Amino acid sequence: MEPTMNAALLPPHPATPGADTALPLPPGVDRRRRTASKAQRAAWVAEACRRIETADTVPDLALLAAQAGMSPHHFHRAFKATVGLTPRAYAIAHRARRLRSALGETATITEAMYRAGFGSSSRLYEASDAMLGMPPSTWREGGRNTEIRFAVGQCSLGAIAVAQTTRGVCAILLGDDPEALVRELQDQFPLAHLLGGDAGFERTVAQVIGFVEAPRLGLDLPLDVRGTAFQQRVWQALRAIPPGETLTYAQIAERIGAPRAVRAVGQACAANRIAVAIPCHRVVRRDRDLSGYRWGVERKRALLEREAGARVG
């Protein structure tokens, strides 16, 4: 006979924050305690976010954990599970938002620097490349005068547009109409100088097209990847998926340590503008349905079939 567990003999449900990781509760035990614990944890994380957002510097993890009544380990895990970012990554992402906002609202870069919480111009310029993808003065002008070389060609999937900054390939767009792809580039980089590619750039485009036709060859070119901290984590996870394999949106969310952020993963995939090199086509729904794709489901199907065939071969 299976031993039975008397709920009256169970020890009290842990009151320690972050200790709500016990085995599944047996029938009859009040599950409202667990729900309350999760709600309380969410409230603590929300308060930690507020402290991070109002601090001039990134708060110490131990201090945030102590204020929430947790150990640093449990606080770090609870924060990442709730927000989708570590406390430090959240602080950096928030500072980047503050900086972008301040650059658009203040009269000088110096004023924006202090409003965003940077104590010196050297720290601002050290961080601006990762946060903005360009110097603060260039961002302040909306990317004005940034030179982007581009070219439009044809591949087996239709029209293809490739664009590159001095940092690397910043866009690979697919479509039916070459002119529409040029307009899309103009919309994405409205204040930049779009320059027709020279002979050297044409070789880059040929390399990209060769990669699109045979992704297993890889793309030995630097990428200029710009996005939020969360988007970059998703895109990094996508680039780790080998050709011929697929993952679900939920699996990507698990891989980046944000299992509840499935919808946000889908949004990050939709925001990707570097087709194939950041292989959002390798992400499918839980039922393995292809779902949506920025450049059309049929192109997604063609890419997956091509990669699966190359894997079998």
Side-chain angles (χ1 to χ4, degrees):
M1 174 182 292
E2 286 269 341
T4 58
M5 184 177 293
N6 188 337
L9 299 179
L10 289 172
H13 191 69
T16 303
D20 190 30
T21 56
L23 294 173
L25 293 174
V29 177
D30 188 358
R31 296 180 182 276
R32 288 178 298 179
R33 292 178 179 175
R34 176 168 291 182
T35 302
S37 176
K38 289 181 178 179
Q40 190 175 36
R41 182 180 67 182
W44 284 326
V45 171
E47 175 63 19
C49 288
R50 187 193 65 79
R51 293 181 184 278
I52 290 172
E53 292 168 3
T54 56
D56 290 333
T57 59
V58 178
D60 180 70
L61 176 63
L63 177 61
L64 289 172
Q67 291 168 337
M70 297 183 182
S71 70
H73 171 74
H74 282 103
F75 173 78
H76 189 276
R77 187 172 65 179
F79 191 100
K80 186 174 181 180
T82 303
V83 179
L85 297 171
T86 65
R88 179 172 178 78
Y90 181 85
I92 292 173
H94 177 71
R95 176 168 285 190
R97 289 195 299 270
R98 287 173 62 185
L99 177 59
R100 289 192 292 267
S101 176
L103 286 170
E105 296 172 358
T106 58
T108 66
I109 291 177
T110 301
E111 186 179 351
M113 175 184 75
Y114 288 118
R115 181 183 292 189
F118 291 91
S120 67
S121 59
S122 60
R123 290 191 176 182
L124 170 64
Y125 281 88
E126 286 172 2
S128 64
D129 188 61
M131 289 184 174
L132 306 175
M134 60 188 72
S137 57
T138 305
W139 175 272
R140 186 180 178 82
E141 296 179 350
R144 189 184 305 277
N145 298 326
T146 298
E147 291 190 352
I148 297 178
R149 295 195 175 277
F150 80 98
V152 178
Q154 288 289 325
C155 66
S156 61
L157 299 176
I160 181 171
V162 180
Q164 184 181 50
T165 66
T166 55
R167 300 177 67 195
V169 174
C170 61
I172 301 175
L173 309 179
L174 302 171
D176 299 316
D177 181 0
E179 293 184 2
L181 295 183
V182 174
R183 289 195 296 271
E184 186 176 350
L185 280 175
Q186 291 171 333
D187 290 341
Q188 292 188 18
F189 306 100
L191 299 179
H193 285 313
L194 294 180
L195 306 175
D198 54 18
F201 185 69
E202 293 296 335
R203 288 191 291 272
T204 296
V205 174
Q207 189 174 347
V208 171
I209 292 176
F211 167 68
V212 171
E213 301 295 348
R216 282 189 171 276
L217 295 177
L219 183 64
D220 188 22
L221 290 172
L223 301 182
D224 183 355
V225 182
R226 303 179 187 183
T228 67
F230 182 84
Q231 287 173 334
Q232 299 222 26
R233 288 171 59 213
V234 171
W235 298 337
Q236 184 176 0
L238 299 185
R239 297 183 71 186
I241 306 174
E245 297 183 16
T246 60
L247 293 177
T248 66
Y249 295 97
Q251 287 173 319
I252 292 294
E254 289 280 354
R255 285 198 173 192
I256 64 172
R260 300 177 187 174
V262 177
R263 180 172 295 182
V265 167
Q267 292 170 342
C269 289
N272 172 35
R273 59 188 176 202
I274 308 181
V276 190
I278 298 179
C280 50
H281 64 279
R282 296 178 192 151
V283 187
V284 297
R285 286 172 44 174
R286 191 183 298 271
D287 59 5
R288 316 313 289 188
D289 183 81
L290 295 189
S291 184
Y293 184 53
R294 177 171 181 167
W295 295 285
V297 173
E298 289 307 313
R299 289 188 177 89
K300 182 173 186 173
R301 179 176 290 108
L303 282 166
L304 291 176
E305 290 176 351
R306 180 181 301 167
E307 292 177 356
R311 187 181 185 188
V312 171

